[in-house]
Amino acid sequence: VPEFTDTISQFENPSFLIEQLAIFFNNLSSGSQLLPLLENNPSLIKIFFIVLNSSTLISEKLSNDIKLFDLLVSKGFMDSIPSRDLIFKDLKSRINNNRDFEFIINELRRFVKERKFQISIHLILGKINCYEASNYFTNTAEICMKFLIPVIKSNLKKRYGYPIYHLPCILGMGKLGSCEMNFYSDLDLILIYNPNVNY
């Protein structure tokens, strides 16, 4: 508690932060190990309060999934956001040539949640600017597409008999096409192909 009060007093509007903190703890699931985690990692307290003070969205994500706090103390999380090539290799090792559609989808969902959280934290803390964040959000989507396309092609082949080597052109529309994606962006995709061509 003394650490909390000392840190809160450093903010411009302590009353607002206290309100956000009350909302956070009210939404927090019972049995959470948050306080021991903060006690063991006191450097997280200020980061936690900066998030509460800056982003209702990320605060809600944290209260709904307290495991995200583990990412904050994981090695390298605060240092930098991995490049597209590096994160692709890491994701590839996680999936490890598994072709089960549900497994891949679940791994990609976890990857997207963790990646978007890291981008958001770095943006809130001023480690990156909004343009860099947009690029990171965009290449997160591109990585997922790169993994999903072969799986989708295989499923289409099984269901509808499309040639397995038929490579459609995927046109990214909107924020994806202009590399301006944000936390809320969805994907607008157009698949262009000639069904009469058999490669």
Side-chain angles (χ1 to χ4, degrees):
V1 172
E3 186 72 29
F4 271 31
T5 55
D6 288 345
T7 306
I8 289 173
S9 66
Q10 299 172 22
F11 285 79
E12 185 176 343
N13 190 347
S15 297
F16 173 78
L17 183 53
I18 291 172
E19 290 176 5
Q20 296 304 108
L21 187 62
I23 293 172
F24 179 88
F25 278 113
N26 187 55
N27 293 333
L28 197 61
S29 58
S30 60
S32 168
Q33 297 300 307
L34 173 60
L35 294 181
L37 177 65
L38 293 176
E39 186 176 13
N40 292 327
N41 300 275
S43 61
L44 278 185
I45 294 176
K46 187 164 187 179
I47 294 173
F48 173 44
F49 287 162
I50 291 173
V51 171
L52 290 181
N53 195 55
S54 306
S55 174
T56 302
L57 171 66
I58 303 302
S59 299
E60 289 176 353
K61 296 291 181 185
L62 277 172
S63 63
N64 292 331
D65 187 359
I66 205 65
K67 291 181 180 178
L68 289 174
F69 269 97
D70 293 334
L71 292 176
L72 293 174
V73 296
S74 63
K75 184 179 179 181
F77 183 89
M78 288 295 185
D79 297 336
S80 62
I81 300 174
S83 67
R84 174 166 43 190
D85 292 339
L86 188 62
I87 205 71
F88 181 82
K89 290 179 182 177
D90 177 63
L91 191 56
K92 189 174 182 180
S93 67
R94 279 163 58 172
I95 292 178
N96 195 24
N97 295 321
N98 192 309
R99 285 297 178 212
D100 180 73
F101 186 71
E102 288 301 320
F103 175 82
I104 293 174
I105 288 295
N106 288 333
E107 281 299 307
L108 289 178
R109 283 180 181 141
R110 184 157 67 95
F111 158 70
V112 169
K113 180 175 71 172
E114 293 173 356
R115 176 86 165 173
K116 288 172 71 174
F117 179 69
Q118 185 182 29
I119 296 167
S120 300
I121 292 296
H122 277 245
L123 181 60
I124 290 170
L125 297 179
K127 292 176 174 288
I128 59 174
N129 59 42
C130 59
Y131 301 105
E132 292 170 318
S134 292
N135 281 323
Y136 283 124
F137 283 125
T138 301
N139 66 43
T140 300
E142 291 171 345
I143 290 170
C144 291
M145 289 166 57
K146 191 171 182 178
F147 271 98
L148 283 174
I149 287 171
V151 181
I152 292 171
K153 282 169 53 182
S154 179
N155 286 348
L156 288 175
K157 171 68 175 179
K158 291 177 183 176
R159 288 189 177 193
Y160 306 110
Y162 288 160
I164 191 99
Y165 297 111
H166 184 188
L167 301 176
C169 171
I170 299 180
L171 186 62
M173 306 295 290
K175 299 296 185 184
L176 173 63
S178 61
C179 296
E180 296 177 309
M181 294 187 70
N182 59 51
F183 194 97
Y184 295 100
S185 296
D186 57 6
L187 296 181
D188 296 318
L189 305 175
I190 298 177
L191 272 66
I192 304 173
Y193 65 95
N194 184 347
N196 297 318
V197 175
N198 191 341
Y199 293 96

